[in-house]
Amino acid sequence: MAKIQVKRSNNMSQLFQRIVVVGAGGFVGQRLLDTLKPLAGDVVPIGRAQADLTDDDGAVRLSRLMRDGDAVVFLSAVTPDKSGDLDILAANIKIAETFLAAIRDVALEHVVYLSSDAVYPFQTETITEETATRAENPYAQAHIEREALFRSALGTGLTILRPTLIYGPGDTHSSYGPSRLCKEGLQTGTIHLFGEGEELRDHVFIDDVTGAIKGALVHRPEGPLNVASGDPIHYADLAGVIAQQVDRDVSVIGRDRKQPVTHRRFDISGLRHALPDHVSTQIRDGVTLTLAALRRQTTDPSDSRIVQ
């Protein structure tokens, strides 16, 4: 694939003409738009209604919406909770190839691609950006292959961000993480864990992810960056944090696990070095904000900040 032209600016603090958010209808996209407004004259959301990247005509439709000088945040992906394993690899590769075909003749300012920590294996050692990637499942394989496609097409005009599990207000996923456990604790008084909640995980708050995207557009670091809190927690302890903040008795129930216990820790010194203004939300504070959004849902169902 021929290299796609990416314009390089000498003034890293200047505003962009436009920032185009591809995949703007999802959890991150909806939260991101307001965050980016100070950086550009116009922030343009593009979702499936404007250009479905899984369709054969998706590249043509998207290309008509792009302009020279655009910065792009690419969020579009099919997540594991939305598709079966057999379809997820092909769908995600199709989405990436369609996007890259659409921008082949456009001189972009910069591209930020939101990948996933799924590209890393489960291991006892702390994960850094130097940790070798390895596909544990088709979703991980999709992101590994998509990263390679983006690098080949864009070269140095690209920042790849690899967030761990994202949670917080507006979460549209049902992944096993803080959003789901907060909802269970607040609404039903029962939190369900796999086994005894032995897994150690790092969960990242939604505003930390949108902040990292904004920082990547300002500083334009090259190479992948892991986006995590640096504050891993066992699921059992996470359930305890949630129970302490819920105004009702909460039961924590373990379920038979189908997978062995695994752990994941991240060193985020690379993120802090590349984005010196980045702030990480600790899990207790993130839980407080997530529960507050859920409580608002009971009084204002139209509140867009709620956890779905």
Side-chain angles (χ1 to χ4, degrees):
M1 179 182 292
K3 292 284 186 183
I4 295 170
Q5 182 181 358
V6 179
K7 297 169 64 179
R8 303 292 294 178
S9 170
N10 293 323
N11 183 356
M12 303 304 280
S13 63
Q14 74 175 25
L15 295 180
F16 297 97
Q17 299 172 35
R18 300 196 317 167
I19 300 175
V20 178
V21 180
V22 179
F27 174 31
V28 176
Q30 292 185 38
R31 192 82 169 183
L32 179 64
L33 299 179
D34 286 342
T35 302
L36 298 183
K37 286 181 179 178
L39 298 185
D42 193 13
V43 177
V44 182
I46 295 179
R48 182 172 295 179
Q50 290 77 35
D52 187 339
L53 303 187
T54 63
D55 283 350
D56 291 338
D57 67 345
V60 173
R61 296 184 65 184
L62 180 59
S63 66
R64 293 169 179 164
L65 302 173
M66 306 299 298
R67 299 178 188 170
D68 289 349
D70 284 347
V72 177
V73 178
F74 184 84
L75 308 173
S76 185
V78 179
T79 53
D81 60 316
K82 306 295 185 183
S83 177
D85 281 350
L86 295 178
D87 301 322
I88 199 166
L89 176 58
N92 278 309
I93 296 302
K94 170 71 172 177
I95 288 169
E97 290 177 337
T98 301
F99 168 73
L100 294 172
I103 64 170
R104 184 173 291 123
D105 297 322
V106 183
L108 299 177
E109 185 74 21
H110 195 72
V111 176
V112 177
Y113 166 47
L114 195 70
S115 183
S116 170
D117 75 331
V119 301
Y120 296 116
F122 288 100
Q123 60 182 45
T124 56
E125 295 84 4
T126 298
I127 292 171
T128 73
E129 287 80 5
E130 302 302 317
T131 301
T133 61
R134 188 179 75 209
E136 302 276 3
N137 52 61
Y139 180 68
Q141 184 64 39
H143 273 295
I144 290 172
E145 293 189 21
R146 283 172 28 139
E147 287 188 11
L149 288 170
F150 272 66
R151 288 194 191 95
S152 176
L154 297 169
T156 58
L158 169 69
T159 300
I160 296 174
L161 300 179
R162 295 170 174 168
T164 186
L165 191 146
I166 307 170
Y167 74 98
D171 193 348
T172 56
H173 305 285
S174 59
S175 302
Y176 181 51
S179 293
R180 186 166 109 185
L181 271 57
C182 282
K183 188 173 183 179
E184 288 183 353
L186 186 65
Q187 297 183 353
T188 71
T190 302
I191 295 175
H192 296 91
L193 301 178
F194 292 126
E196 300 300 319
E198 301 97 325
E199 293 95 339
L200 186 73
R201 290 289 188 276
D202 189 316
H203 310 282
V204 63
F205 190 63
I206 179 61
D207 290 350
D208 296 3
V209 177
T210 59
I213 293 170
K214 179 181 178 181
L217 287 168
V218 172
H219 297 285
R220 307 185 197 186
E222 296 178 6
L225 290 176
N226 297 327
V227 184
S229 72
D231 182 31
I233 188 170
H234 293 280
Y235 270 92
D237 294 332
L238 172 61
V241 169
I242 294 169
Q244 290 174 0
Q245 297 192 37
V246 173
D247 299 327
R248 64 184 300 174
D249 292 334
V250 175
S251 300
V252 179
I253 299 176
R255 291 174 169 170
D256 291 341
R257 63 171 62 256
K258 298 180 180 179
Q259 303 293 335
V261 175
T262 56
H263 304 295
R264 186 166 271 182
R265 302 173 179 85
F266 286 87
D267 179 345
I268 61 170
S269 57
L271 177 71
R272 289 170 172 160
H273 176 75
L275 309 180
D277 298 327
H278 185 76
V279 177
S280 296
T281 302
Q282 299 306 297
I283 190 68
R284 185 174 299 277
D285 297 328
V287 164
T288 299
L289 294 167
T290 302
L291 288 170
L294 283 165
R295 292 186 181 101
R296 286 194 297 269
Q297 182 180 5
T298 63
T299 57
D300 184 5
S302 66
D303 193 327
S304 62
R305 298 167 295 177
I306 65 173
V307 179
Q308 302 292 328

